[in-house]
Amino acid sequence: MALKIASFSTPNYTSNFCGPFRTPCLQLLKLLKPTPTRRIRRELKLAAVMFSDNPVVSDIIATGLSGGIALTLLKIWEQTAKRGVFDQKLNRKLVHVTVGLAFMLCWPMFSSGRQGAILASLIPGINIIKMLLLGLGIWKDDATVKSMSRFGNHRELLKGPLYYASTITLASAIYWRTSPIAIAAVCNLCAGDGMADIVGRRFGSQKLPYNQNKSVVGSITMACAGFLASVGYMFYFSSFGYMEESSKMVLGFFIVSIAAALVESHPLSTELDDNLTVPLASALVGSFVL
C-alpha cells in the first residue's frame, strides 16, 4: 500500500501531458515548434486574411490592378498608332471598343457599396483630367493624341474622348455593377458605337436616307453589337450575384440598343458627338425599360 501511495504521489508529467497519444513530450514539442518555412507560410496566410477582410486594402489593390490593365491597353494602342499598324481611324475605334469593356470586366474586383464604386471611378476619372490637359495644350503627348483623335488635332480630345471617359466614370460612380443601366450605357457606347464605325466604313455602301454620313449596315451593327455585349455583361455580373438575369432584362437591352442606334444615326448626333448622345439615350431609355 505504501508503494502504491508513493507511486501515485510522484506525478508523471510526461504521461499526463501526452495523454492517450503516448507520445513523448520532447518529441511532441519538437514537432510543434515552428520551422522558418512554417512560420513564413503562417505569416503569409495571416496577411492574406488581412487583405481579404479589409475592404479598403482590397479596393486599393483592385484600383492598382484595374488601372494597370487600362494603362497597358492604352499603351498598346499608342504604339500601334505610332508605328502605323492600323489606319488612324481604325486604331481610334479599337481604343474605343476595348478600353471601356476591359475596365468593366474589372468591376468584380472591387468591394460592394459606394467605396468600391468611387475608387473604381477614379481610374477613368483621372483620364478626364488627362483629356482636359491634352486638349487644352497644357500637356504634350503626341502618341495619345494620335491614338484617340480622327485627324491628329489635340483639340479633338475635348469632345469624343472626354465624353467617353466621363460616361464610364459616371457609370461607375452612379450606377455601378448592380445596375443594368450602367451595362447598357457602356456597352452601347463602346461595343455598339465602336463596331458601327468599323463595319460601316468597310461595308456601308448603302447610306441612310436621312443621313448620308451613316450607313444601314453600320446602324444594324451598332444595335447588334451593343445588344450582344449588354447581354454578355448581364450574364457576367449575374455570375457574381450582382444582378439576376431575366428575359425582361434581355428585352430591355434590345430596346435600349435599338434606341441608341437610332440616336447615333441622327444628323444631330454627329453635330453634338455620339460619345455624348449615345450614353445619354441609353441611360434615359434604360431608366424606363430596365
Side-chain angles (χ1 to χ4, degrees):
M1 186 68 179
L3 288 174
K4 289 183 179 180
I5 294 173
S7 175
F8 179 78
S9 62
T10 306
N12 189 337
Y13 292 101
T14 303
S15 61
N16 288 344
F17 182 82
C18 298
F21 297 102
R22 300 177 184 275
T23 306
C25 263
L26 292 177
Q27 292 182 5
L28 183 60
L29 291 172
K30 187 176 181 180
L31 288 172
L32 292 175
K33 185 179 180 181
T35 61
T37 304
R38 289 177 184 170
R39 193 179 299 113
I40 292 171
R41 289 178 181 174
R42 184 180 62 190
E43 290 175 358
L44 288 175
K45 287 180 180 179
L46 290 173
V49 170
M50 181 187 70
F51 283 119
S52 62
D53 290 345
N54 191 327
V56 176
V57 174
S58 63
D59 280 340
I60 292 173
I61 294 173
T63 303
L65 290 174
S66 302
I69 291 171
L71 181 61
T72 299
L73 270 176
L74 288 172
K75 291 299 181 182
I76 289 173
W77 296 127
E78 285 176 12
Q79 288 301 313
T80 56
K82 185 177 180 179
R83 299 172 188 273
V85 177
F86 303 108
D87 175 76
Q88 185 169 339
K89 293 179 179 178
L90 175 59
N91 197 96
R92 175 178 172 270
K93 284 300 175 181
L94 290 174
V95 176
H96 190 98
V97 172
T98 58
V99 174
L101 295 179
F103 172 63
M104 197 158 60
L105 285 174
C106 299
W107 284 4
M109 291 194 295
F110 293 86
S111 64
S112 300
R114 301 314 306 164
Q115 176 182 287
I118 296 301
L119 284 175
S121 66
L122 289 179
I123 298 169
I126 292 173
N127 218 36
I128 293 177
I129 299 173
K130 183 179 179 180
M131 294 303 103
L132 288 171
L133 293 176
L134 290 172
L136 294 172
I138 299 173
W139 182 15
K140 303 293 184 181
D141 188 344
D142 293 336
T144 299
V145 172
K146 191 173 182 180
S147 66
M148 293 187 178
S149 61
R150 287 186 175 91
F151 307 107
N153 186 345
H154 66 89
R155 302 289 296 180
E156 295 180 57
L157 272 61
L158 294 176
K159 295 190 71 176
L162 179 61
Y163 299 148
Y164 181 94
S166 300
T167 295
I168 299 175
T169 300
L170 294 175
S172 304
I174 298 175
Y175 296 107
W176 198 216
R177 62 196 180 195
T178 57
S179 173
I181 297 177
I183 294 176
V186 175
C187 287
N188 283 292
L189 171 64
C190 298
D193 183 45
M195 293 305 300
D197 188 82
I198 293 172
V199 176
R201 287 183 184 278
R202 186 172 180 84
F203 303 105
S205 56
Q206 185 177 354
K207 303 298 181 180
L208 293 170
Y210 55 89
N211 190 350
Q212 292 299 302
N213 293 321
K214 303 291 182 179
S215 65
V216 174
V217 68
S219 294
I220 294 174
T221 299
M222 176 172 178
C224 292
F227 169 68
L228 292 175
S230 298
V231 173
Y233 274 91
M234 176 192 71
F235 284 112
Y236 176 67
F237 287 131
S238 67
S239 68
F240 291 95
Y242 302 138
M243 62 180 61
E244 186 175 350
E245 72 270 12
S246 65
S247 56
K248 180 183 177 181
M249 191 178 294
V250 172
L251 178 60
F253 282 135
F254 180 73
I255 295 172
V256 171
S257 295
I258 294 294
L262 290 174
V263 168
E264 191 271 345
S265 66
H266 195 279
L268 182 62
S269 187
T270 304
E271 293 181 18
L272 294 175
D273 197 290
D274 48 24
N275 283 356
L276 175 64
T277 58
V278 167
L280 284 177
S282 299
L284 179 62
V285 177
S287 65
F288 290 101
V289 301
L290 290 172

